Amino acid sequence: MIDKEYIQTLFNAGKLYRCLPYALIFKTTHYCYYKCGHCCENAGPHRERRYINADIICDYISQAIQQPSFSRDVIFTGGEVFSSYKFGYEKYVSRLLTFSLDNGLSTDIKTNAGWANTNWGGEIFNDLHNILAKYPGDALSDGGRLNAPKLQISLSVDRFHSNCIQNNIRIIMGLLNSHVCIHVSSLNTDIDYTDNFNKELNKVLRSAHVGYIDAFTSQGQPIKIINNKIVLYSSYGTLFSHGRASDLSDALKVDLPQYKFVGDGNVLVAFDNAGMVSLGENSGHKIATRWQKSDGGVVPLNTIRKNLYRNILLDPFTTHTK
Ligand code: SF4
């Protein structure tokens, strides 16, 4: 685990940018047509239908590509990023995914899947098919080795996301012939939802070839291969007390500052739609700075990272440093 003294040493030596690997995450909007009780982002239909400008996101990605400490991982999330299709930004998601994938980055997009069974979901499927057609492949090579897809779509299965089982299954069935990774995340408290999801998925997959590779995720979960195209795995996480989740009795309150996550591999440098960027995602005590200036201009990525690490050093929270 990293500590302030280490960060101070690197900071003084001007080595921070080379030493601390980071990934980019863009919380593109706070708008969502759901209003889940556990939403860490306070997203919902009451929030503005506004999205971080795609040119700005692509420019930040371009800046990151120049930096050796960028892990080359990009995550797009919200709110619900696919809601952009409803409000006249039909090419928003395609632009982001295409830019990231064309630059050879490991790309993950998170969705509540609420669009999958709607009449506007067809356009999303079309766009995903077109994007994924540029990156064809089989999940397993001739030698039986895993051929990792370029794009991951992250879905949620839990008690909060309504119709999540039917919607997520619709997405998988709609992408059955595309080389794509599907990550299904759930909460430690909601494992029965994932069990139901797997049962229902197995029923509809009868005609498609389903197999497993001889490997497990870091959480010990099996990796499923569907139709020799889709790589599917599950993960379980903790419900953290943040945003609306703070009202839930079983949400875990975390006092650790987010920079404590710096030592756990890549730190997430998370941009949000309110013009802020923070270290870490949605749990713990926030270390943040602005990416958007008051005049609408944007702060360069190098300056943002410098400001974030400076704010770690200025942060009065010292109880858990060691
Ligand atoms: S948890 Fe996800 S689906 Fe639910 S309100 Fe928040 S952003 Fe929307």
Side-chain angles (χ1 to χ4, degrees):
M1 187 68 80
I2 207 157
D3 61 18
K4 273 192 182 182
E5 289 72 26
Y6 179 59
I7 291 175
Q8 181 78 66
T9 307
L10 294 175
F11 194 84
N12 291 346
K15 289 182 176 172
L16 258 175
Y17 307 128
R18 287 198 296 277
C19 294
L20 295 181
Y22 71 99
L24 289 176
I25 175 167
F26 296 96
K27 302 174 187 178
T28 54
T29 181
H30 283 102
Y31 180 84
C32 185
Y33 35 84
Y34 287 173
K35 197 175 181 183
C36 304
H38 74 315
C39 186
C40 293
E41 301 296 336
N42 278 323
H46 59 295
R47 303 298 298 266
E48 253 188 295
R49 296 170 181 179
R50 198 179 57 166
Y51 304 79
I52 304 177
N53 184 294
D55 289 338
I56 290 175
I57 292 177
C58 295
D59 192 55
Y60 274 128
I61 292 173
S62 297
Q63 291 178 54
I65 289 169
Q66 306 304 318
Q67 300 179 349
S69 50
F70 175 45
S71 68
R72 303 183 68 82
D73 296 301
V74 177
I75 303 165
F76 300 111
T77 181
E80 174 55 37
V81 58
F82 285 101
S83 65
S84 52
Y85 279 82
K86 282 180 85 172
F87 305 123
Y89 309 110
E90 289 88 355
K91 293 302 158 203
Y92 184 74
V93 170
S94 295
R95 170 94 198 280
L96 298 180
L97 293 183
T98 301
F99 187 83
S100 184
L101 290 165
D102 283 353
N103 276 288
L105 306 180
S106 170
T107 307
D108 182 5
I109 186 161
K110 298 179 188 296
T111 177
N112 62 25
W115 48 268
N117 283 301
T118 66
N119 55 9
W120 53 282
E123 191 175 356
I124 298 178
F125 278 116
N126 282 343
D127 284 351
L128 288 175
H129 289 146
N130 289 336
I131 292 165
L132 289 165
K134 287 176 69 182
Y135 304 96
D138 291 329
L140 295 177
S141 66
D142 288 343
R145 296 174 72 101
L146 183 67
N147 181 22
K150 308 282 185 226
L151 177 66
Q152 173 166 292
I153 300 178
S154 291
L155 309 173
S156 300
V157 173
D158 53 53
R159 73 195 117 127
F160 297 103
H161 290 87
S162 54
N163 301 319
C164 58
I165 292 179
Q166 300 93 315
N167 290 336
N168 289 337
I169 287 175
R170 173 74 187 92
I171 289 184
I172 292 167
M173 298 310 285
L175 298 177
L176 214 47
N177 293 313
S178 297
H179 186 218
V180 63
C181 185
I182 302 283
H183 169 210
V184 179
S185 69
S186 188
L187 299 166
N188 296 327
T189 47
D190 290 13
I191 289 175
D192 48 334
Y193 279 78
T194 315
D195 288 344
N196 279 341
F197 166 72
N198 283 325
K199 273 187 208 146
E200 294 302 316
L201 181 62
N202 287 342
K203 281 185 203 166
V204 296
L205 281 175
R206 270 190 301 244
S207 60
H209 179 73
V210 180
Y212 294 87
I213 62 165
D214 190 17
F216 295 88
T217 67
S218 57
Q219 288 188 338
Q221 296 300 316
I223 299 173
K224 192 180 275 190
I225 305 296
I226 301 172
N227 219 23
N228 200 18
K229 289 291 176 190
I230 296 178
V231 177
L232 185 148
Y233 72 99
S234 304
S235 70
Y236 298 93
T238 304
L239 176 57
F240 288 111
S241 173
H242 206 266
R244 280 199 294 280
S246 310
D247 297 334
L248 301 174
S249 57
D250 59 342
L252 182 72
K253 189 167 180 343
V254 180
D255 290 328
L256 283 173
Q258 289 186 325
Y259 68 81
K260 298 301 278 185
F261 296 93
V262 170
D264 299 331
N266 295 323
V267 65
L268 290 175
V269 173
F271 290 71
D272 75 17
N273 182 46
M276 298 301 293
V277 53
S278 60
L279 281 178
E281 196 178 2
N282 49 27
S283 55
H285 168 69
K286 292 245 181 201
I287 301 289
T289 185
R290 293 201 67 82
W291 65 262
Q292 190 162 44
K293 301 177 190 169
S294 52
D295 64 3
V298 296
V299 180
L301 184 58
N302 256 341
T303 308
I304 288 171
R305 294 187 66 218
K306 196 169 176 181
N307 290 344
L308 285 171
Y309 294 123
R310 181 205 58 201
N311 288 351
I312 290 177
L313 300 174
L314 294 175
D315 185 60
F317 195 103
T318 55
T319 310
H320 293 277
T321 57
K322 56 183 180 180

